[in-house]
Amino acid sequence: MSQAEKLPPHDPSGLVLRTVEMHAGGEPLRVVPPWGGLAPLATPGLSLLERRRLLLTSPELDAARRLLMHEPRGHRDMYGALLVPSELPEADVGAIFVHNQGASAMCGHAVLCLARFVLDYGLRRGAPSPAAPSGEASVTIHCPCGPVAAFASWDGRRSGTRARFHSVPAFAAATDVSIDVPGYGKVVVDVGYGGAFYAFLSADQLGLDVSSSKIQDLVDAASAVTEAVKAQFKVHHPLIEDVAFIYGTILTDGKDEFSEEPTSNICVFADAQESKCGDHNAVIVEVAGESFYTGTSTFTFEEEDPLKYGFFLKFTRPCVQGCRQTIQFVSKMV
């Protein structure tokens, strides 16, 4: 073994996790490939949703998630995709999306990255044509919300940076729902689904503007809405109950009528055809963008490290008047 390949001192019985690092639009994605060190998630005979439940209930796997997502190896906004087998014959790979709190049902920027990754790392079940006439190759990624068709530019040897995907059926779960948000009063939200459930409302209902208000004010308000909606509105998916939870809130600029004029929104955490999802009228949305590789990583830990499974470092506003900030240091250990 060369010096470059030698691992640092680490717990010989502990985890060694290998990842490929990517980003789309600046949003990071830490990909754990099938050979990345999470063998329990590859247990034969499990469905993708069963693998996701295993991740959320297994202390060992949850420790691995925190090790990858939290400081000092990750950060508050780190995102990951754990690649696993899929029970669907049409799917090239299964993906479980993870973040600092747990696991989500869908992630658009992750799919833009994985469209390239599946091609470049030879995970497509049928080899893509040497040089597709359209200039791109297709892959199918089995997400917890369902199979997603993705496409990446392809020259027969490697992928290019451009990628796109077709969403699972997206629908309005409820409109004009009155919610009482502590500290902000009553607001009216719509609840929409496009792989995950989000609350939508214009920022001006909260006394804010998505283009000019401070980012922290927007984040605080959106987080308060998310918690209020979780407490006051029960979401239901007609086909996949595992995804029936509010994932976040999207604040808009209030320009809800369709027009060619650009609009702005902030999401805290399109061409379409008519479709159905249970009893809901739904649409299939196409999303396009660019994704990029940034490197590879190998992560280990030492048993003596009191922070081996990571910690949060977050800034919170003081509850008394003044301009100082307090720092909350939250250690997450098993």
Side-chain angles (χ1 to χ4, degrees):
M1 179 183 294
S2 70
Q3 289 297 100
E5 296 172 329
K6 184 178 179 181
L7 293 176
H10 63 284
D11 180 0
S13 63
L15 294 169
V16 176
L17 298 175
R18 292 177 170 82
T19 68
V20 175
E21 310 292 315
M22 302 184 73
H23 82 88
E27 288 200 60
L29 184 70
R30 180 158 285 165
V31 183
V32 181
W35 57 90
L38 290 179
L41 278 181
T43 301
L46 298 180
S47 70
L48 181 69
L49 292 178
E50 288 172 333
R51 297 181 200 279
R52 181 176 178 273
R53 291 183 208 125
L54 179 63
L55 171 74
L56 295 174
T57 57
S58 163
E60 176 189 0
L61 291 173
D62 187 62
R65 175 192 63 80
R66 287 184 280 122
L67 182 150
L68 290 168
M69 297 294 104
H70 293 183
E71 302 272 5
R73 302 171 188 85
H75 51 78
R76 185 169 181 78
D77 299 313
M78 179 56 72
Y79 214 91
L82 315 181
L83 301 189
V84 297
S86 168
E87 72 274 20
L88 300 181
E90 71 270 25
D92 297 298
V93 69
I96 301 173
F97 304 117
V98 295
H99 48 75
N100 63 35
Q101 290 185 323
S104 60
M106 172 60 182
C107 178
H109 91 273
V111 170
L112 292 175
C113 293
L114 293 180
R116 299 191 62 195
F117 185 91
V118 169
L119 291 171
D120 291 326
Y121 280 81
L123 298 180
R124 194 173 186 268
R125 283 185 171 176
S129 59
S134 64
E136 63 180 11
S138 65
V139 302
T140 299
I141 300 165
H142 186 187
C143 305
C145 61
V148 174
F151 311 84
S153 50
W154 176 251
D155 67 4
R157 297 176 299 108
R158 55 158 287 183
S159 68
T161 62
R162 296 293 300 174
R164 62 188 179 94
F165 67 88
H166 294 162
S167 77
V168 296
F171 57 88
T175 58
D176 298 328
V177 179
S178 180
I179 298 292
D180 188 5
V181 183
Y184 296 90
K186 284 195 177 294
V187 299
V188 177
V189 306
D190 297 334
V191 178
Y193 177 83
F197 285 96
Y198 279 89
F200 292 79
L201 74 160
S202 60
D204 61 10
Q205 289 195 64
L206 302 163
L208 299 170
D209 183 282
V210 293
S211 299
S212 61
S213 294
K214 294 179 180 178
I215 290 294
Q216 191 61 54
D217 291 338
L218 293 165
V219 171
D220 289 346
S223 299
V225 171
T226 297
E227 294 309 310
V229 175
K230 285 180 179 179
Q232 300 170 44
F233 182 80
K234 171 67 174 176
V235 296
H236 170 71
H237 191 282
L239 303 176
I240 312 172
E241 199 56 34
D242 281 59
V243 304
F245 59 93
I246 294 288
Y247 188 48
T249 292
I250 296 177
L251 302 179
T252 75
D253 58 10
K255 299 175 182 177
D256 298 329
E257 297 298 325
F258 176 78
S259 75
E260 298 298 327
E261 181 184 358
T263 62
S264 301
N265 66 73
I266 180 170
C267 176
V268 180
F269 120 131
D271 290 336
Q273 63 188 65
E274 286 307 316
S275 183
K276 295 284 287 186
C277 186
D279 294 331
H280 294 282
N281 290 321
V283 295
I284 305 295
V285 179
E286 180 174 296
V287 179
E290 288 189 288
S291 59
F292 301 88
Y293 293 98
T294 58
T296 60
S297 299
T298 300
F299 295 104
T300 62
F301 70 85
E302 295 184 277
E303 184 57 43
E304 303 86 351
D305 183 358
L307 301 176
K308 56 181 174 287
Y309 296 125
F311 62 90
F312 281 147
L313 181 64
K314 70 177 181 179
F315 295 89
T316 60
R317 300 189 172 208
C319 56
V320 297
Q321 197 171 25
C323 62
R324 68 180 177 85
Q325 287 186 315
T326 59
I327 298 177
Q328 286 188 344
F329 182 84
V330 184
S331 180
K332 299 282 189 178
M333 297 180 288
V334 171

